Amino acid sequence: MKIAVIGAGWAGLSAAIYLQRSGHQPVVFEAARTLGGRARSVQSPPLNATIDNGQHILLGAYTETWALMRELQIPLESRLQRLRLSLQAADGSFRLKAALLPAPLHLLGGILVARGLSVTERVRLITLMQNLRDRGWVVPASATVGDWLRAGRQSDSVVRRFWRPLCLATLNTPIEQACAQLLANVLRDSLGGARGACDIMLPRVRLSELWPTRAAEKLDLRYGQAVRHLNRLSTHVEVEGERFDAALIATNAPSALRLLKHDAPSSAGDAYLTQLAALRYNPIVTVTLELERAWKPPAPMLMLYDYPEKCQFGQWLFDGSVAENPSKKIPGPGPTRTNPRIEGQRSMLTVVISDARSLEQHAQADIVAGILEQMREQIQGFPALPPVRGHATIIEKRATFAATPDLARPENATPWPRVWIAGDYTDTGYPAVLEGAVRSGKRAAELIAAYFS
Ligand SMILES: Cc1cc2nc3c(=O)[nH]c(=O)nc-3n(C[C@H](O)[C@H](O)[C@H](O)COP(=O)(O)OP(=O)(O)OC[C@H]3O[C@@H](n4cnc5c(N)ncnc54)[C@H](O)[C@@H]3O)c2cc1C
């Protein structure tokens, strides 16, 4: 069957690969001239380099992502740096590192020797995690992360040092609004899994190079083709006037809504469109800094404590240097744009600010100045930060949907025959993360294959 896949993010590309594997003929339409969607490489004029649109952390628990990379014969070790879970504050006041023990003792051991926790805080943290495990990783319905932490008697200090950064990094939603069950699902699969499931995997290459470029080599991919018309007929669908047996909409939710709302009204259809329209979004801001001299942070990933009143917004600091072939072309058609300098020799840092709504009223220059001040204040006992040669700020306004409780998320199957959807916002049981996008794409491909079998 000839299937139109609309969108070349992680969901659309994963669906296309699985559709192809099951004998179908996917044709991928991508509005942008690069692939990867919200996890993509971009050319940064201020830095004159290829950078990512945002730092992405992957987890050992991203089983479908690793299966897809294996399917594409990509060796994980060459593309990702695997780190034992370690949540470490830049100022040295807090550190929780998974112990080298079999699960679940790795977490218990980590909490017992963690830096920056009182005895009571350790006991309450262990009790909260043990209760969660005993209850099958199910939390009270409609609870926010804030409700759940209060019920678990977590101190303000533990919330500030541990839970808040973890919740923002995972759900991109503040603890008082974030859905506790979605956080519990991620904890179940990472901390509750085998020891390696909570490992942190940081890309060694630019995001598009992780696997999307390899996928694109295998697919019929049409870049720069924004789909505006999807015409559903009883025997087929038409996408921009071209005939297909079915369509998979793997765009973001607002684009999916635009493509679907022209169909004839029905109660099931209206309910489905209402779910798409109800999603709200939170931004993520990523600041990439290029330093004058080589400088490695004390760990590949460090927590920063933010002080918005001082314009110090940084939450996480990453070593952003990746080795990249300078002659490598940015994936996509068009003229070859190459990196004039070898990035492996450039010293880059990235600073991430999740749920960045409050940054809107600040000038970018003030944000960068505040972050530099924050880093100088908080990175303790380490050679001073060299001067900054250049910086780039990327604001992803609709980075992820706001992961609030009781959110009705759409299924992959739509009420309309021959039309499916995929994306991180579908009902994956996960917040808006890469693994959710890959799972959603695979699930949609399975449903399409079953429909035509
Ligand atoms: C800054 C940032 C940091 C993040 N950090 C993490 C992290 O650390 N860990 C993690 O797991 N996840 C993270 N995420 C989330 C992750 O990037 C997303 O969950 C994932 O990329 C979503 O993939 P998707 O395929 O569902 O959607 P998208 O990536 O949005 O893909 C949709 C695609 O459809 C295309 N499109 C839209 N409309 C049309 C149209 N009409 N016609 C044709 N094409 C169209 C778009 O151009 C896009 O390429 C982060 C996201 C951001 C923005």
Side-chain angles (χ1 to χ4, degrees):
M1 295 292 161
K2 194 176 161 197
I3 317 288
V5 176
I6 306 169
W10 283 41
L13 289 173
S14 106
I17 290 293
Y18 285 114
L19 282 168
Q20 198 175 54
R21 193 179 67 173
S22 52
H24 297 288
Q25 189 195 338
V27 175
V28 185
F29 293 84
E30 170 52 53
R33 300 195 71 79
T34 53
L35 67 164
R38 274 171 284 151
R40 67 187 182 285
S41 311
V42 293
Q43 185 68 17
S44 164
L47 293 173
N48 196 12
T50 311
I51 58 173
D52 291 333
N53 71 315
Q55 174 72 48
H56 280 64
I57 307 171
L58 296 90
L59 295 175
Y62 281 13
T63 48
E64 289 299 345
T65 305
W66 313 137
L68 179 61
M69 286 179 71
R70 276 195 295 276
E71 169 85 25
L72 292 165
Q73 297 178 339
I74 295 174
L76 264 55
E77 318 74 52
S78 68
R79 308 276 164 110
L80 292 139
Q81 182 186 11
R82 188 172 199 129
L83 305 167
R84 190 150 43 109
L85 175 73
S86 174
L87 303 176
Q88 181 176 345
D91 68 4
S93 64
F94 180 83
R95 184 176 184 212
L96 196 163
K97 187 168 187 175
L100 274 173
L101 293 168
L105 297 178
H106 64 322
L107 178 60
L108 182 69
I111 297 175
L112 285 175
V113 299
R115 189 187 302 158
L117 295 177
S118 70
V119 174
T120 312
E121 286 169 339
R122 267 177 237 277
V123 171
R124 287 184 182 168
L125 192 51
I126 291 170
T127 310
L128 182 68
M129 292 306 295
Q130 192 53 45
N131 285 345
L132 187 59
R133 188 187 296 271
D134 292 347
R135 289 181 186 144
W137 306 91
V138 175
V139 297
S142 308
T144 65
V145 173
D147 297 335
W148 177 65
L149 295 179
R150 269 187 294 281
R153 298 163 66 217
Q154 301 296 291
S155 70
D156 289 347
S157 161
V158 173
V159 170
R160 165 90 170 140
R161 287 158 180 237
F162 174 66
W163 286 112
R164 181 176 174 270
L166 189 72
C167 179
L168 282 174
T170 317
L171 277 73
N172 191 28
T173 307
I175 53 172
E176 292 307 338
Q177 294 164 21
C179 172
Q181 189 57 61
L182 282 181
L183 181 64
N185 293 352
V186 177
L187 295 177
R188 174 196 64 207
D189 294 350
S190 52
L191 293 176
R195 197 178 76 198
C198 64
D199 283 352
I200 284 177
M201 316 280 278
L202 295 180
R204 289 184 197 275
V205 295
R206 290 292 169 225
L207 282 171
S208 299
E209 297 288 325
L210 260 183
W211 63 269
T213 14
R214 176 75 64 86
E217 284 162 16
K218 294 178 176 286
L219 296 168
D220 179 353
L221 218 153
R222 304 191 188 165
Y223 291 99
Q225 284 211 24
V227 173
R228 296 204 166 78
H229 300 287
L230 177 68
N231 194 12
R232 198 180 55 73
L233 301 148
S234 57
T235 54
H236 64 279
V237 292
E238 285 173 0
V239 173
E240 298 296 309
E242 188 175 341
R243 185 185 170 116
F244 289 89
D245 295 296
L248 171 61
I249 303 176
T251 65
N252 53 15
S255 280
L257 182 63
R258 272 195 296 278
L259 286 170
L260 287 169
K261 71 181 176 194
H262 301 297
D263 221 294
S266 68
S267 58
D270 290 349
Y272 197 85
L273 297 180
T274 304
Q275 288 185 345
L276 287 172
L279 294 165
R280 296 287 168 267
Y281 302 89
N282 287 335
I284 298 179
V285 170
T286 309
V287 178
T288 305
L289 303 165
E290 183 183 5
L291 306 176
E292 291 274 359
R293 297 191 301 279
W295 185 88
K296 285 261 170 219
M301 172 180 153
L302 287 171
M303 284 194 279
L304 294 168
Y305 294 122
D306 58 341
Y307 294 95
E309 64 283 6
K310 293 201 276 178
C311 205
Q312 297 187 351
F313 292 105
Q315 294 163 354
W316 291 94
L317 168 68
F318 293 84
D319 178 359
S321 309
V322 297
E324 195 167 1
N325 178 351
S327 62
K328 197 115 199 172
K329 171 175 175 291
I330 297 178
T336 304
R337 289 169 293 168
T338 54
N339 299 321
R341 280 180 276 171
I342 301 175
E343 284 191 47
Q345 295 172 351
R346 299 172 72 175
S347 189
M348 303 273 207
L349 299 173
T350 52
V351 177
V352 177
I353 303 151
S354 296
D355 183 30
R357 285 172 289 179
S358 62
L359 267 67
E360 275 165 14
Q361 40 202 300
H362 295 270
Q364 285 189 13
D366 295 341
I367 295 169
V368 174
I371 284 174
L372 289 174
E373 192 57 35
Q374 184 183 7
M375 284 166 54
R376 291 197 179 100
E377 280 176 25
Q378 294 188 24
I379 301 176
Q380 298 282 325
F382 209 70
L385 193 68
V388 170
R389 176 185 285 159
H391 55 83
T393 303
I394 298 185
I395 303 167
E396 287 278 356
K397 285 194 174 155
R398 282 193 191 141
T400 71
F401 64 84
T404 50
D406 302 324
L407 200 59
R409 290 165 65 182
E411 300 280 345
N412 293 105
T414 73
W416 303 280
R418 294 179 185 268
V419 178
W420 285 264
I421 64 165
D424 61 356
Y425 63 90
T426 59
D427 194 12
T428 64
Y430 265 18
V433 288
L434 296 166
E435 173 73 1
V438 170
R439 286 185 187 197
S440 176
K442 185 180 182 199
R443 173 90 188 117
E446 287 166 352
L447 291 171
I448 295 170
Y451 180 84
F452 287 112
S453 67

